[in-house]
Coordinates of all heavy atoms in Angstrom, one line a residue:
T1 N -119.0 -41.6 -35.2 CA -119.3 -42.5 -36.5 C -118.3 -42.0 -37.5 O -118.5 -42.5 -38.7 CB -120.8 -42.3 -36.9 OG1 -121.0 -40.9 -37.1 CG2 -121.8 -42.9 -35.9
L2 N -117.5 -41.1 -37.2 CA -116.5 -40.6 -38.3 C -115.7 -41.8 -38.9 O -115.4 -41.8 -40.1 CB -115.6 -39.6 -37.7 CG -116.1 -38.3 -37.4 CD1 -115.2 -37.3 -36.7 CD2 -116.7 -37.6 -38.8
H3 N -115.3 -42.8 -38.2 CA -114.5 -43.9 -38.8 C -115.4 -45.0 -39.1 O -114.8 -46.1 -39.6 CB -113.6 -44.4 -37.6 CG -112.4 -43.6 -37.6 ND1 -111.5 -43.5 -36.4 CD2 -111.7 -42.7 -38.4 CE1 -110.6 -42.7 -36.5 NE2 -110.6 -42.2 -37.6
D4 N -116.7 -44.8 -39.3 CA -117.5 -45.9 -39.9 C -117.1 -46.4 -41.3 O -117.0 -45.5 -42.1 CB -118.9 -45.5 -40.0 CG -119.6 -45.5 -38.6 OD1 -119.0 -45.9 -37.6 OD2 -120.9 -45.0 -38.6
P5 N -116.8 -47.7 -41.5 CA -116.5 -48.1 -42.9 C -117.8 -48.1 -43.7 O -118.8 -48.8 -43.5 CB -116.0 -49.5 -42.8 CG -116.6 -50.0 -41.4 CD -116.8 -48.7 -40.5
L6 N -117.8 -47.3 -44.8 CA -119.0 -47.1 -45.6 C -118.7 -47.6 -47.1 O -117.6 -47.3 -47.7 CB -119.5 -45.7 -45.6 CG -119.9 -45.1 -44.2 CD1 -120.3 -43.6 -44.3 CD2 -121.1 -45.9 -43.6
D7 N -119.6 -48.1 -47.8 CA -119.5 -48.4 -49.1 C -119.9 -47.3 -49.9 O -120.4 -46.2 -49.4 CB -120.2 -49.8 -49.6 CG -121.8 -49.7 -49.2 OD1 -122.3 -48.5 -49.0 OD2 -122.4 -50.7 -49.3
E8 N -120.0 -47.3 -51.3 CA -120.2 -46.3 -52.1 C -121.6 -45.7 -51.8 O -121.7 -44.5 -51.5 CB -120.2 -46.7 -53.6 CG -120.3 -45.6 -54.6 CD -118.9 -45.0 -54.9 OE1 -117.9 -45.6 -54.5 OE2 -118.9 -43.9 -55.5
A9 N -122.6 -46.5 -51.7 CA -124.0 -46.0 -51.4 C -124.0 -45.5 -50.0 O -124.8 -44.6 -49.8 CB -124.9 -47.3 -51.6
G10 N -123.2 -46.0 -49.1 CA -123.3 -45.7 -47.8 C -122.7 -44.2 -47.6 O -123.2 -43.5 -46.8
V11 N -121.7 -43.9 -48.3 CA -121.2 -42.6 -48.3 C -122.1 -41.5 -48.7 O -122.2 -40.5 -48.2 CB -119.7 -42.4 -49.0 CG1 -119.1 -41.1 -48.9 CG2 -118.8 -43.5 -48.5
R12 N -122.8 -41.9 -49.9 CA -123.8 -40.9 -50.4 C -124.9 -40.7 -49.5 O -125.3 -39.5 -49.2 CB -124.3 -41.5 -51.7 CG -123.3 -41.6 -52.9 CD -124.2 -42.0 -54.2 NE -123.2 -42.3 -55.3 CZ -123.1 -43.6 -55.5 NH1 -123.6 -44.6 -54.8 NH2 -122.3 -43.9 -56.4
A13 N -125.3 -41.7 -48.9 CA -126.5 -41.7 -47.8 C -126.0 -40.8 -46.6 O -126.8 -40.1 -46.1 CB -126.9 -43.2 -47.4
R14 N -124.8 -41.1 -46.2 CA -124.3 -40.4 -45.0 C -124.3 -38.9 -45.3 O -124.7 -38.1 -44.4 CB -123.0 -40.9 -44.6 CG -122.2 -40.2 -43.4 CD -122.8 -40.3 -42.2 NE -122.9 -41.6 -41.6 CZ -122.0 -42.2 -41.1 NH1 -120.6 -41.7 -40.9 NH2 -122.1 -43.4 -40.6
L15 N -123.7 -38.5 -46.4 CA -123.6 -37.1 -46.8 C -125.0 -36.5 -46.9 O -125.2 -35.4 -46.4 CB -122.8 -36.8 -48.0 CG -121.3 -36.7 -47.9 CD1 -120.6 -36.6 -49.3 CD2 -120.9 -35.4 -47.1
R16 N -125.8 -37.1 -47.4 CA -127.2 -36.5 -47.7 C -127.9 -36.4 -46.3 O -128.6 -35.4 -46.1 CB -128.0 -37.4 -48.6 CG -127.6 -37.2 -50.1 CD -128.1 -38.2 -51.1 NE -127.7 -37.9 -52.5 CZ -127.5 -38.8 -53.3 NH1 -127.6 -40.2 -53.1 NH2 -127.1 -38.5 -54.6
H17 N -127.7 -37.3 -45.6 CA -128.3 -37.4 -44.1 C -127.7 -36.2 -43.3 O -128.4 -35.5 -42.8 CB -128.1 -38.7 -43.5 CG -128.4 -38.6 -41.9 ND1 -127.4 -38.1 -41.0 CD2 -129.5 -38.9 -41.2 CE1 -128.1 -38.2 -39.8 NE2 -129.2 -38.6 -40.0
N18 N -126.3 -36.0 -43.4 CA -125.8 -34.9 -42.8 C -126.2 -33.5 -43.2 O -126.4 -32.6 -42.3 CB -124.3 -35.1 -42.8 CG -123.7 -36.3 -42.0 OD1 -124.5 -36.8 -41.2 ND2 -122.5 -36.6 -42.2
V19 N -126.4 -33.4 -44.6 CA -126.9 -32.1 -44.9 C -128.3 -31.7 -44.4 O -128.6 -30.7 -44.0 CB -126.9 -32.0 -46.5 CG1 -127.5 -30.7 -47.1 CG2 -125.3 -32.1 -47.0
R20 N -129.2 -32.8 -44.3 CA -130.5 -32.7 -43.7 C -130.3 -32.3 -42.3 O -131.1 -31.5 -41.8 CB -131.3 -33.9 -44.0 CG -131.7 -34.2 -45.5 CD -132.9 -35.3 -45.5 NE -132.4 -36.5 -44.9 CZ -131.8 -37.5 -45.7 NH1 -131.6 -37.3 -47.0 NH2 -131.5 -38.6 -45.1
M21 N -129.5 -33.0 -41.7 CA -129.2 -32.7 -40.3 C -128.8 -31.2 -40.1 O -129.3 -30.5 -39.1 CB -128.2 -33.6 -39.7 CG -127.8 -33.3 -38.2 SD -126.0 -33.7 -37.8 CE -125.1 -32.8 -39.0
L22 N -127.9 -30.8 -40.9 CA -127.4 -29.4 -40.8 C -128.6 -28.4 -41.1 O -128.6 -27.3 -40.3 CB -126.4 -29.1 -41.8 CG -124.9 -29.7 -41.5 CD1 -124.0 -29.5 -42.7 CD2 -124.4 -29.0 -40.2
D23 N -129.5 -28.7 -42.0 CA -130.7 -27.9 -42.1 C -131.5 -27.8 -40.7 O -131.9 -26.7 -40.3 CB -131.7 -28.5 -43.2 CG -131.4 -28.1 -44.5 OD1 -130.9 -27.0 -44.7 OD2 -131.7 -28.8 -45.5
G24 N -131.6 -29.0 -40.0 CA -132.4 -29.0 -38.8 C -131.6 -28.1 -37.7 O -132.2 -27.4 -37.0
V25 N -130.3 -28.3 -37.6 CA -129.5 -27.5 -36.6 C -129.7 -26.1 -36.9 O -129.8 -25.2 -36.0 CB -128.1 -27.9 -36.7 CG1 -127.1 -27.0 -35.7 CG2 -127.8 -29.4 -36.3
A26 N -129.7 -25.7 -38.2 CA -129.8 -24.2 -38.6 C -131.0 -23.7 -38.2 O -131.1 -22.5 -37.6 CB -129.5 -24.2 -40.1
D27 N -132.1 -24.4 -38.4 CA -133.4 -24.0 -38.0 C -133.4 -23.8 -36.4 O -134.1 -22.8 -35.9 CB -134.6 -25.0 -38.3 CG -134.8 -24.9 -39.8 OD1 -134.4 -24.0 -40.5 OD2 -135.5 -26.0 -40.4
A28 N -132.9 -24.7 -35.7 CA -133.0 -24.6 -34.2 C -132.2 -23.4 -33.8 O -132.7 -22.5 -32.8 CB -132.3 -25.8 -33.5
L29 N -131.1 -23.0 -34.5 CA -130.2 -21.9 -34.1 C -131.0 -20.5 -34.6 O -130.8 -19.6 -33.7 CB -128.9 -22.0 -34.8 CG -127.9 -23.1 -34.2 CD1 -126.7 -23.0 -35.0 CD2 -127.7 -22.7 -32.8
V30 N -131.7 -20.5 -35.6 CA -132.4 -19.5 -36.0 C -133.4 -19.1 -35.0 O -133.8 -17.9 -34.6 CB -133.1 -19.6 -37.3 CG1 -134.1 -18.5 -37.6 CG2 -132.0 -19.5 -38.5
L31 N -134.1 -20.0 -34.4 CA -135.2 -19.9 -33.5 C -134.7 -19.4 -32.3 O -135.2 -18.4 -31.6 CB -136.0 -21.3 -33.3 CG -137.1 -21.2 -32.2 CD1 -138.2 -20.3 -32.9 CD2 -137.6 -22.6 -32.0
Q32 N -133.5 -20.0 -31.8 CA -132.8 -19.5 -30.6 C -132.4 -18.0 -30.8 O -132.6 -17.2 -29.9 CB -131.6 -20.3 -30.3 CG -130.9 -20.0 -28.9 CD -129.8 -21.1 -28.7 OE1 -129.9 -22.2 -29.1 NE2 -128.8 -20.7 -27.9
A33 N -131.9 -17.6 -31.9 CA -131.4 -16.2 -32.2 C -132.7 -15.2 -32.3 O -132.5 -14.1 -31.8 CB -130.7 -16.1 -33.6
S34 N -133.8 -15.7 -32.6 CA -134.9 -14.9 -32.8 C -135.4 -14.4 -31.4 O -136.2 -13.5 -31.3 CB -136.1 -15.5 -33.6 OG -136.7 -16.7 -32.8
A35 N -135.1 -15.1 -30.4 CA -135.4 -14.6 -28.9 C -134.7 -13.3 -28.7 O -135.2 -12.5 -27.9 CB -134.9 -15.7 -27.9
S36 N -133.6 -13.1 -29.4 CA -132.9 -11.8 -29.1 C -133.4 -10.7 -30.1 O -133.5 -9.5 -29.7 CB -131.4 -12.0 -29.4 OG -130.8 -12.9 -28.5
D37 N -133.8 -11.1 -31.3 CA -134.3 -10.2 -32.3 C -135.2 -11.0 -33.2 O -134.9 -11.8 -34.0 CB -133.2 -9.6 -33.2 CG -133.6 -8.6 -34.1 OD1 -134.9 -8.4 -34.3 OD2 -132.7 -7.8 -34.6

């Protein structure tokens, strides 16, 4: 979806969605790391 044509509102929504997604990825990785420590 990197080349998706987005309007002004769409770019804002995409960035906010991606930051929320990064939060979720971070949580999954923390859980995976906790198996080691």
Side-chain angles (χ1 to χ4, degrees):
T1 57
L2 284 174
H3 279 156
D4 285 357
L6 301 174
D7 59 16
E8 191 83 16
V11 180
R12 293 192 196 95
R14 172 69 60 82
L15 270 174
R16 287 172 177 143
H17 170 270
N18 288 350
V19 173
R20 290 193 299 271
M21 174 207 67
L22 288 171
D23 273 336
V25 174
D27 286 347
L29 290 173
V30 169
L31 185 62
Q32 189 171 331
S34 69
S36 299
D37 184 346

